[in-house]
Amino acid sequence: MDNAVQIVLGLLLLLLVGGVAYYLLQHGSQSLRPDPAMRRQADLRRQSETQRDFQRVFSMTSAQGKEGLIKRWMDRTGCDRTEAMRLAMEEWRRDNR
């Protein structure tokens, strides 16, 4: 009877340790995932930085000219507005070196 009690207690202890390890792995991995709100903030910072750079690079271009440039890149590549601004700046910098 003494061996049976030890086996049962050993199994219970093993289940408890396994459960705690599983819980910690699940909750620990969630803290490593990027927070969606932080990801959005980073995207907004990147967008606003790109927009500032675009305005600076094309400061002598009219508002209509800037919009046309952005629209052409969006149509040409199928990208979003921020990416179109970045591509336009890259092309301008390549051409003006």
Side-chain angles (χ1 to χ4, degrees), residues 31-83:
S31 66
L32 297 176
R33 293 183 193 138
D35 181 19
M38 290 176 65
R39 186 188 244 153
R40 280 191 297 275
Q41 286 177 338
D43 287 345
L44 289 174
R45 271 194 305 272
R46 180 183 57 82
Q47 287 175 357
S48 63
E49 183 179 322
T50 301
Q51 289 172 351
R52 277 193 309 272
D53 289 346
F54 181 83
Q55 292 299 329
R56 191 183 72 243
V57 168
F58 296 104
S59 62
M60 300 303 286
T61 305
S62 70
Q64 287 178 330
K66 290 175 194 171
E67 286 302 315
L69 185 60
I70 293 169
K71 183 167 178 8
R72 277 192 300 279
W73 274 103
M74 289 173 68
D75 292 344
R76 187 184 311 167
T77 62
C79 62
D80 66 358
R81 184 175 177 80
T82 303
E83 182 67 10

